[in-house]
Amino acid sequence: FAPPRIVATTPAAKSSVLPLRSESALRSAVAEETFEFTAETDRVMEIIINSLYSDKDVFLRELVSNAADACDKKRFLSIEAGNAADALRVRITADPDKKTLTIEDSGVGMSRDELVANLGKIAKSGTKAFAEALGDAPDDVNLIGQFGVGFYSGYLVADKMTVTTKSMNSDKTHTWSSDAKSGFTVREEGEIEGSSGTRIVLDVKEDCSEYLEEATLRRLLKRYSEFLQFPIELYASKTTYDDEVDEEATKKARESDPDAKEVTKSVTNVKFDYEVVNSMKPLWLRPPKEVNASEHSEFYKSAFRAFDDPLRTIHFALEGQVQFKALMYVPKSLPFELNQNMFDENANSMKLYVKRVFINDKFDLLPRWLVFMRGIVDSEDLPLNVGREILQKSKMLGVIQRRLVRKSLDAFSDLQKNATEYDEFWKNFGKYIKVGAVEEQGDVQKDLAKLCRFYSTKSGDDQTTFSEYIERMPQNATKILYLSGDSREQALNSPVIQRLIKTDYEVLLLPEALDEIVCQAIGEVDGKKLVDASKDDLKDVFDDDDEDEDNGDFEELCSWLKLQLEDRVSSVKLSKRLVDAPAALTEGAFGMSPTMRKYMAAQAVAQEDEFAGFGGAGKPTLELNAKSSIVVALNNGDLTSDEAEDAAELLFDVAALTGGYELSDATAFATKVTKLMGQTEIPPKKEAEPVEAEVVE
Ligand SMILES: Nc1ncnc2c1ncn2[C@@H]1O[C@H](COP(=O)(O)OP(=O)(O)OP(=O)(O)O)[C@@H](O)[C@H]1O
């Protein structure tokens, strides 16, 4: 049955959510202003209209979630003001004759300024990032929601959108309208009695008429709005089979028997009315065991605009002094917003509800290293109408936070049981875990340390955990050694750990400054101290401290080198750690590794603060390899010669380069190397062998 044309007298219009005047009355209203979209918005709309055409369905999810958000806001504001909010609902009406689809809500609505601001520019992340991401996946409509361009997705199916809205805080009603090509107009509709709300009318494109069909709308709304807390009502047909008196048959029957009973017949009646299509039972209130994976998946996708399934689901209720229900998801991929800035404030997606009322998603329900988690907390005891600051400090919130962190840690540690899953997790969220290990203390830090992975001299392309490292440690060994570097290869090739590698003592290789900060913060794992291999004297590692500390036959060379390199080294001594390299630079216990020096210097530049110059703190020690031919030659040579001076400089520069330090004067280094190359004798060209001509028959 074809759905009817909607006229003013149908139940639909009578019970309109937003009590507006008829359309002609609206049109007669006053002055209209014309606006241009910001350049960014224009670009996004262009992308939406031209490239995102493969899954147009999402427009309905976007517009219905905006409508439900508006209802959420109104409910919250009404409670805060001590008023009862009137019936909150969202209504969807298709008119196949006019080719319009209308989405109405009785939410907060928008004032004129809000209309211009919210629907004139991109709400959140901006087009640049949007367009960049689309570069890789030009057809991925799921990105729309993630970029906060939800409203504009309406243009996937509509040539024109008209938004009529009345704000909770204003008596005036305004209409926004745009064909997405030539900016938008806003006009005032004059005073209209009644409550706030928004009505969006889409002029549906010729080739999108399926979105005017009841079956399509019902299917999509079921998918997208099942978990929304307000009634989502679709204007739909209802067929009833009623018994009616069959006059004709009754008359006939009574001709032969005047006392015959009325004859009835069954008739089909089709009525149109609004029908609630969602169950409105929040998922998190249901007993965890009764919610299956596909329900979680649907909920996760619709509540958090995700496009893949969650990696893990954490669903629990806490009873007792503090009561709340929580539902958290570990995402499978890094949420888009975090691509640009790993702690983007807008990326926080933990929603706080108090007794089923949405409060907001801006609370720090989790420490910042868990910013990637998505979820909902519904508290029974938090006050509904208290300011954010007070609530943020409340003890109850502290209890909730601790519990959420604990449950998250349990889930991560459970993930470790599945190597493939954990690899994926670590690739996406490893840096958050590391930041957590730096910022947390006590048991939480210990648990985070268990989740950390690092490259090592024995791990190859895989990474190792502290506990795997400890299992491989020699008996009685007490130190977990690490070395930072610009890259894994650079650390691996550093002369500082040559002998450790030769003697099979494992060293963690840390290619990022954060890794080193993590090791320093953790300090100790299962009683084994974490020690920087370039700072430690390694006495107990090599077990050969019988050799005394003095520099023996090299005493004079060491003192001379110290004088030569006075501004760059704090001391010069014979080394126990070297195998092939002639020399290495090492740091004292309180020194700073080259990686850390560079990191601090970069921070100082970035922040332009008092740390500037900090990178130069402390001088390293130059350690010499007594078995190296160049060191032996220097020791036996004339230290007053220019050649000895050059060799001393080169010795230092090579040690600095291989250790990951930056050369202070690269030109001087190049000059010396060029001079050396000049002394290299390259054998003369070999006589070319006469080539025998091939005989072609
Ligand atoms: N039905 C509505 N009622 C009231 N305000 C609305 C409605 N629809 C949109 N808005 C306002 O317009 C803004 C922009 O909406 P849009 O969907 O483009 O982005 P968003 O909802 O903020 O971001 P996201 O889509 O990522 O949630 C919203 O933040 C809201 O303030």
Side-chain angles (χ1 to χ4, degrees), residues 5 14 44 182 308 315 410 442 473 476 482 490 553:
R5 203 187 129 95
K14 261 196 219 153
V44 168
S182 47
D308 48 3
H315 188 185
D410 291 349
M473 271 172 107
N476 305 327
Y482 63 84
Q490 194 259 310
D553 297 343

Side-chain angles (χ1 to χ4, degrees), residues 62 66-67 70 105 110 118-119 123-124 145 148-151 198 305:
E62 298 298 319
N66 279 352
D105 65 70
M110 283 176 272
N118 294 341
L119 304 187
K124 279 193 218 144
V149 290
F151 170 78
T198 301
R305 308 250 161 110

